Amino acid sequence: MNDSRSTLVHDIRNQLSTMLMLVGLLEKIELSAEIQARLSVSAEELRTVLTERDLASSTHHDLESTMNAFLRALQDIDTADLPEELIPLRAEIVDRIPITSDLWSSLTQ
């Protein structure tokens, strides 16, 4: 794999790891069953992509749809339900989703 693709893979893995870290934190707080279920499904899909041995050739994943579903779940969480320290972290992850989508598009083109 050339250096630019290797860098893309590394950047995507970092972004997905950060997203999964937030899911782990959100799983520890009380959210609605529907939100928890949606987060769980998104997390499982993100983990599947993250654990791909050869992410650079993993164009069969629909990461775009997974991240869109994850974004909707995050946006549907009422900030009143979040501990104060998670509010900026959630905002940061929301901002990272389109960046990660762009990275994924660059990798899979």
Side-chain angles (χ1 to χ4, degrees):
M1 177 179 341
N2 65 32
D3 286 343
S4 65
R5 288 183 66 76
S6 179
T7 300
L8 278 172
V9 167
H10 178 75
D11 290 346
I12 291 167
R13 287 187 191 281
N14 283 342
Q15 298 291 353
L16 296 179
S17 293
T18 303
M19 290 175 199
L20 287 168
M21 179 193 68
L22 176 62
V23 172
L25 294 170
L26 292 173
E27 288 173 339
K28 295 176 182 177
I29 63 173
E30 197 167 316
L31 296 171
S32 73
E34 181 211 348
I35 294 287
Q36 287 289 5
R38 290 168 52 202
L39 287 173
S40 179
V41 167
S42 294
E44 188 59 37
E45 293 295 323
L46 292 172
R47 278 186 199 97
T48 299
V49 174
L50 184 61
T51 59
E52 266 300 330
R53 188 166 176 81
D54 185 11
L55 189 59
S57 64
S58 300
T59 58
H60 60 279
H61 291 291
D62 188 1
L63 186 59
E64 186 78 30
S65 292
T66 298
M67 288 191 299
N68 285 335
F70 181 49
L71 176 62
R72 286 190 301 275
L74 290 177
Q75 291 172 329
D76 288 346
I77 299 171
D78 188 344
T79 54
D81 294 337
L82 292 175
E84 193 172 311
E85 63 273 9
L86 290 185
I87 294 171
L89 183 55
R90 180 185 74 164
E92 180 183 334
I93 297 300
V94 166
D95 290 344
R96 286 178 182 231
I97 290 173
I99 293 166
T100 308
S101 290
D102 290 345
L103 291 170
W104 182 254
S105 292
S106 295
L107 181 66
T108 57
Q109 289 179 350

